[in-house]
Amino acid sequence: MSEARQYGELAIQLVTESRRSTQSDTLIKYNDALVRTIIREQRDLEKAAEVYLHDDEPPPALYIIQTAINRNKRCLLAYHAHRVDRLRDLYWSVGGALPHILSNQDIRSKLSPHEVDYMRQYNHSVMEFRSEFSHELDITASITNPPKDLHVLVRVVKDCGVIQTELGSIDFQKGQRFMVRRADIEHLIVQGYLEEV
C-alpha cells in the first residue's frame, strides 16, 4: 500500500531540516536520499506537465504542477544555500584550516562528496586571494577580538609540533608556555592548539 503525499511535502522536510540545523547551531548530515527523491519527483512533475503543454488553453492542473515544480526548486536551493553558509561559517571558525575540518571524522561524515569538493575549491580561492597580500594582512585572523599587542603569551593545549616563526622554529608541546609574535601563531589559537594566558 503506497502512502499518498502532496506535491512539495518532501521538499518542506528539507527546509525544516535546515531550520533545525540553524536552531541547534549544528551541521546535520547531508540528506542525500531525500534530495534524490525530490529530484525524482521533479522529473515526474515535468513529465506530467508535458502532457498539458500542447493544449490551446492550459488547464488549471498545469498551474498546480508548475507551482509544485517551482516550490521544489526553491526548497532545494534554500537547503543547499543553507549548507553552503554553514560550511563557510565552519571554515572561518577554524581560521581557514581546511585539513583541520576534513580530518575531523564527525564533521567529514556529515558532508557529501560534492561539499568536500566545494570546501577544497573554496580553500583554494581563499589561499589564492590571500597570497596577493599575505605579507601585509592575514585575512584568516580573528576579527572579533582585535590584538592589543604584537606579542602574546600562550599555553600549548594540544601538541602541534615544530612551527616556523619569524624568530626561528619553536617546538610546541602540551603544557608549555611561550611569548611569541601573534601573527606567527594566530592560526594555532583559532584552531585550538594554543590558548592565550
Side-chain angles (χ1 to χ4, degrees):
M1 182 163 85
S2 67
E3 188 178 311
R5 280 193 309 263
Q6 286 186 317
Y7 293 136
E9 188 176 314
L10 296 173
I12 295 298
Q13 287 178 18
L14 275 183
V15 174
T16 304
E17 193 173 290
S18 295
R19 189 175 302 131
R20 198 175 316 129
S21 172
T22 301
Q23 290 172 343
S24 64
D25 197 30
T26 58
L27 183 67
I28 296 175
K29 185 173 176 21
Y30 183 78
N31 198 337
D32 189 51
L34 189 55
V35 169
R36 288 178 187 275
T37 303
I38 293 167
I39 291 171
R40 276 194 299 277
E41 182 180 296
Q42 283 291 93
R43 288 186 187 134
D44 293 343
L45 287 168
E46 288 167 1
K47 286 178 188 172
E50 284 177 11
V51 172
Y52 299 112
L53 288 179
H54 304 295
D55 294 348
D56 291 337
E57 190 167 322
L62 182 60
Y63 295 118
I64 293 170
I65 292 170
Q66 189 61 43
T67 302
I69 289 171
N70 289 338
R71 175 183 278 190
N72 282 350
K73 284 181 183 177
R74 285 195 313 269
C75 291
L76 282 168
L77 288 171
Y79 177 74
H80 288 96
H82 173 264
R83 290 197 60 91
V84 166
D85 289 344
R86 299 287 302 172
L87 293 175
R88 272 195 233 128
D89 291 346
L90 180 64
Y91 179 83
W92 289 106
S93 71
V94 296
L98 184 64
H100 185 69
I101 296 170
L102 296 181
S103 65
N104 184 332
Q105 288 304 313
D106 182 46
I107 294 172
R108 183 74 181 254
S109 66
K110 294 177 181 178
L111 303 178
S112 75
H114 297 293
E115 289 174 326
V116 173
D117 290 343
Y118 168 78
M119 293 291 287
R120 288 189 176 127
Q121 288 296 322
Y122 186 75
N123 182 59
H124 176 73
S125 297
V126 168
M127 291 303 131
E128 191 174 296
F129 177 72
R130 178 183 172 196
S131 67
E132 295 175 18
F133 50 83
S134 63
H135 59 284
E136 300 161 5
L137 176 68
D138 183 9
I139 62 169
T140 60
S142 173
I143 60 171
T144 55
N145 298 321
K148 295 178 181 108
D149 298 317
L150 288 176
H151 290 80
V152 63
L153 180 63
V154 294
R155 184 174 63 85
V156 182
V157 178
K158 293 187 251 180
D159 289 342
C160 49
V162 178
I163 304 294
Q164 292 296 329
T165 66
E166 191 176 83
L167 301 173
S169 57
I170 301 174
D171 186 15
F172 289 104
Q173 294 180 357
K174 187 175 180 178
Q176 294 179 329
R177 292 177 182 225
F178 295 95
M179 177 66 85
V180 289
R181 249 185 85 221
R182 180 180 290 277
D184 291 337
I185 51 89
E186 180 78 34
H187 63 286
L188 296 173
I189 293 172
V190 173
Q191 293 171 20
Y193 288 102
L194 307 177
E195 70 178 8
E196 290 187 56
V197 178

